[in-house]
Amino acid sequence: MKFSEFKTGPARSVFAGLGRDWVAILDEASSFEELRREIVFHNDADVGRFGAAVRRYARTCSSGEYRLLLAVCALADFGHIADDLSGGRAWQDITRGCDLRFRAAIAACVEAAP
């Protein structure tokens, strides 16, 4: 999946669920690598903005969005948050209950992860 497709597909709803600032970061990024850098930069290690947004949204998102959210965490090098949220089972049945668009976005995250 090309990054341009990722930005306009299911990832858009996930980033919108994280908050306006995060969807703006998605909009401005031109590659998976740039998206990862910007997420890390805007997370602010002392504050943990990305982690807080992920944890908040994980409580209310759909099952497909939840699985993509875990993959976005891996993409952004926050796999520990995905493991935390899923009780260490982030990758078991990662695409279960997902339509093809979500599966493609999850696969793109996995492929682009560090």
Side-chain angles (χ1 to χ4, degrees), residues 12-26 53-54 56-57:
R12 182 151 204 80
S13 65
V14 169
F15 277 82
L18 294 175
R20 189 176 24 222
D21 293 344
W22 299 105
V23 80
I25 289 167
L26 176 66
V54 166
R56 182 184 64 252
Y57 185 51

Side-chain angles (χ1 to χ4, degrees), residues 74-86:
L75 167 71
D77 209 14
F78 285 86
H80 63 285
I81 293 175
D83 285 340
D84 247 10
L85 289 172
S86 65

